[in-house]
Amino acid sequence: MLPDDCALAMDSGRQVIVDSVGNVTSETPETGVYESDHRYLSSLEMEVGDGDGWTVFGRESRDRGVTTTLASATVGTGRGEQRSWTLGKRLELTATGVTATVRLTNNTQTARETEIMFDLTPDFGHVFEIPAFFSPREHQNRPITVEERSSGCTFVGTLADGTERRVEVGSESALDATVDNESATFSTAVTVLPASTHSVELDIDLPAGRRTRPKSSLTSIVRSTDNS
């Protein structure tokens, strides 16, 4: 069973499980991005600024996704001061993988600047190797490589049966991508106008597993929009 503070969305063999603040994180081993009994991402953390001081306002699981709404600390110290930010984190199952969305609202009358980050760590482990679940198998440290591309990166790993699989992440907008041998971070500095909302979406293309994939070519992109 999942911990009470986790939330789940699923659709025909594909699942996302997030923690109390809407992230996939290794600190909560049950969380993950799953496809056909394999966990392809052990972390998908969406952070704004320094990531501290947020209060959870609500959680909603529907339409093949999980949305967690948070709010930052109040502006100033006086009574009636508004919270400067409202943050929505959403993980949504798509035809080819998962879309992670950060929706940031500036509740003040002054333009505000901050940074939005997506931190991803690949896994490629079978669910029976994950200690949080049944775990009848010993976890195997299979090699995973991170291939940097001009538009993003590709995680390449091997499943328990020796099959190679690839997870594609990319960007068509001006995001900074930082990759190493084990993870990748996409980040961008944003300015949000007064009483406005700024959204950033990260599309992750998962291996199809037993799914029948669409014939059309669909690439993974990161999109950034500003709605004033």
Side-chain angles (χ1 to χ4, degrees):
M1 295 181 63
L2 293 179
D4 292 339
D5 59 355
C6 287
L8 163 72
M10 60 188 303
D11 179 55
S12 58
R14 184 171 295 160
Q15 305 93 27
V16 292
I17 301 174
V18 300
D19 69 359
S20 60
V21 295
N23 286 331
V24 171
T25 172
S26 59
E27 295 180 3
T28 305
E30 292 85 356
T31 64
V33 175
Y34 298 87
E35 167 71 66
S36 301
D37 297 331
H38 289 83
R39 182 171 67 179
Y40 285 102
L41 293 177
S42 59
S43 72
L44 201 177
E45 300 190 37
M46 298 172 276
E47 301 294 349
V48 173
D50 58 13
D52 296 328
W54 294 90
T55 300
V56 177
F57 269 15
R59 164 70 57 76
E60 187 176 65
S61 298
R62 68 175 187 177
D63 299 330
R64 300 193 307 173
V66 180
T67 303
T68 306
T69 302
L70 306 96
S72 66
T74 57
V75 180
T77 58
R79 294 183 59 186
E81 293 282 5
Q82 290 185 318
R83 293 179 181 269
S84 54
W85 298 113
T86 301
L87 169 61
K89 299 181 183 181
R90 179 169 175 80
L91 285 182
E92 180 178 354
L93 300 167
T94 66
T96 59
V98 175
T99 296
T101 303
V102 170
R103 183 176 174 85
L104 187 62
T105 300
N106 176 9
N107 299 309
T108 73
Q109 297 303 310
T110 304
R112 304 184 70 85
E113 299 178 355
T114 191
E115 185 176 26
I116 295 174
M117 293 160 288
F118 299 86
D119 293 323
L120 299 90
T121 304
D123 188 1
F124 293 86
H126 194 277
V127 291
F128 283 176
E129 298 176 346
I130 299 172
F133 292 102
F134 307 102
S135 191
R137 303 179 188 171
E138 183 177 349
H139 186 271
Q140 302 296 317
N141 292 319
R142 302 180 188 87
I144 297 174
T145 60
V146 183
E147 299 177 354
E148 187 171 4
R149 298 182 285 110
S150 59
S151 59
C153 70
T154 303
F155 300 130
V156 184
T158 303
L159 305 185
D161 62 1
T163 305
E164 182 181 278
R165 289 288 185 262
R166 304 171 72 86
V167 175
E168 306 281 353
V169 186
S171 172
E172 288 186 348
S173 56
L175 298 184
D176 295 324
T178 303
V179 304
D180 57 29
N181 294 331
E182 299 180 345
S183 63
T185 299
F186 289 88
S187 63
T188 181
V190 298
T191 299
V192 187
L193 298 177
S196 299
T197 297
H198 189 100
S199 295
V200 179
E201 293 183 0
L202 176 65
D203 291 339
I204 302 157
D205 194 4
L206 295 173
R210 292 189 293 269
R211 285 174 169 264
T212 300
R213 298 186 60 165
K215 293 183 180 180
S216 60
S217 176
L218 188 60
T219 57
S220 301
I221 62 173
V222 179
R223 298 187 298 273
S224 179
T225 59
D226 195 3
N227 302 318
S228 54

